[in-house]
Every structure is written in structure tokens, then in C-alpha cells.
């Protein structure tokens, strides 16, 4: 009952490997990094935390929400930029949960085994679009486990 779906999944993965790519900001304090690179956030921080006054909870929450919004926008923009650069080298690309705050993106890429060298060239090409405030780290090849989309049907016929 699951044979055809499983055979189809195996056919899609045949001859391919998974490569993983993580991109992060090279900083120990991501908030300060954004304050240094975003005038509006810096002005808001300076207004909320100006000397001689204690910011309200509402002000601190608004600052935090603004920072979170900037962080997500930046992640989305950078992730799309890297996906666009890697797309010619991959059969498929998926973004997965970044986890740590310093992480911009974690991508898993389905790559033909015989095109791994080209994929690595694609990573170098993508990395050249970023300055030294960013780190690119890739690993693999791995079994393409992030690309298995199989739902086992255990119903009896």
C-alpha cells in the first residue's frame, strides 16, 4: 500500500546528497550589531534609554519588537539572496529553523552527487556578496534525510 509512494521518493533522491549551509553574523552581541548598522533602531534605543530616566515596560517591549522585526526582515532578505545564488546548483533547497540568534539562516540543499564541486563554487559565489561581518559554514555530503516527505499509511485494506 505504501510501495508506490516510497518508490517515488527513492527515485527523487537517487544520485543526490544533502549539503548543509549555515550563515551567521560575526558578532557576540546581535542587538549591538543592529544598533550600529541601523540608524532608526539606534535613535529609538537612545530615546528609550536616555540618561536620567528609567524606560517603561511598554517602551522596552516596543524596542524589542522593532529589533525582532528588523532581525526577521534581514534574515528573510539574506536567505532569499543566498537561495537565489545557490538555486542553479541544487535540485531543491529548504530553509530550516535557525535556532540561535546569531544565525541568519540554515539551509539544506539537495545536490546531485556529481555536482558537489559546482555547489561549493556556488557557495563561494554567494559568500562574495557579503562582507566579513558574515560567516558561511557548510558541511556534507549527508544522506538527504531533510528531503524525505513520506507519510506511512498503516491502514488495513
Amino acid at each position: 500500500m505504501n510501495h508506490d509512494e516510497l518508490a517515488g521518493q527513492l527515485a527523487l533522491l537517487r544520485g543526490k546528497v544533502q549539503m548543509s549551509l549555515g550563515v551567521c553574523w560575526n558578532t557576540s552581541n546581535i542587538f549591538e550589531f543592529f544598533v550600529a548598522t541601523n540608524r532608526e533602531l539606534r535613535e529609538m534605543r537612545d530615546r528609550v534609554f536616555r540618561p536620567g530616566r528609567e524606560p517603561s515596560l511598554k517602551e522596552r517591549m516596543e524596542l524589542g519588537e522593532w529589533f525582532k522585526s528588523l532581525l526577521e526582515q534581514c534574515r528573510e532578505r539574506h536567505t532569499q539572496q543566498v537561495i537565489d545564488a545557490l538555486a542553479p546548483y541544487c535540485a531543491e533547497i529548504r530553509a530550516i529553523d535557525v535556532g540561535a540568534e546569531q544565525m541568519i539562516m540554515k539551509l539544506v540543499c539537495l545536490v546531485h552527487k556529481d555536482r558537489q564541486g559546482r555547489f561549493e563554487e556556488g557557495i563561494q559565489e554567494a559568500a562574495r556578496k557579503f562582507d566579513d561581518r558574515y560567516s558561511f559554514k557548510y558541511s556534507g555530503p549527508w544522506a538527504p534525510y531533510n528531503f524525505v516527505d513520506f507519510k506511512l499509511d498503516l491502514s488495513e485494506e
Side-chain angles (χ1 to χ4, degrees), residues 40-58:
E40 291 176 69
L41 182 64
R42 183 173 47 257
E43 289 173 357
M44 186 178 193
R45 188 242 4 227
D46 292 348
R47 199 170 46 252
V48 168
F49 288 99
R50 68 182 175 265
R53 72 180 290 274
E54 181 68 29
S56 70
L57 177 60
K58 180 181 178 193

Side-chain angles (χ1 to χ4, degrees), residues 2-150:
N2 296 300
H3 179 270
D4 292 343
E5 187 176 350
L6 184 55
Q9 284 282 305
L10 290 173
L12 286 173
L13 301 177
R14 185 172 293 119
K16 298 178 184 92
V17 295
Q18 177 174 306
M19 300 295 288
S20 299
L21 172 65
V23 180
C24 62
W25 284 285
N26 284 332
T27 183
S28 59
N29 185 321
I30 194 66
F31 180 75
E32 290 301 323
F33 173 83
F34 270 78
V35 165
T37 58
N38 185 285
R39 183 185 51 81
E40 291 176 69
L41 182 64
R42 183 173 47 257
E43 289 173 357
M44 186 178 193
R45 188 242 4 227
D46 292 348
R47 199 170 46 252
V48 168
F49 288 99
R50 68 182 175 265
R53 72 180 290 274
E54 181 68 29
S56 70
L57 177 60
K58 180 181 178 193
E59 290 173 317
R60 289 183 299 202
M61 289 180 66
E62 287 174 353
L63 180 63
E65 288 299 318
W66 179 248
F67 167 65
K68 182 180 175 185
S69 174
L70 287 173
L71 185 68
E72 289 307 312
Q73 289 172 24
C74 193
R75 280 182 174 145
E76 289 173 13
R77 186 176 63 252
H78 288 330
T79 299
Q80 192 58 56
Q81 186 178 7
V82 172
I83 287 173
D84 290 347
L86 292 179
Y89 308 103
C90 302
E92 188 175 342
I93 302 172
R94 293 184 180 180
I96 59 175
D97 184 38
V98 294
E101 193 174 60
Q102 258 79 8
M103 291 297 297
I104 299 169
M105 72 191 81
K106 285 185 182 177
L107 302 176
V108 289
C109 305
L110 189 61
V111 177
H112 290 273
K113 284 180 186 177
D114 60 350
R115 296 187 192 150
Q116 279 179 250
R118 298 273 304 141
F119 171 76
E120 292 173 7
E121 291 171 14
I123 289 176
Q124 298 300 322
E125 177 183 317
R128 280 193 290 274
K129 296 177 182 182
F130 292 80
D131 60 31
D132 62 356
R133 296 176 298 172
Y134 303 87
S135 290
F136 280 63
K137 296 179 183 173
Y138 68 95
S139 63
W142 310 106
Y145 56 89
N146 281 104
F147 295 94
V148 176
D149 296 318
F150 183 73

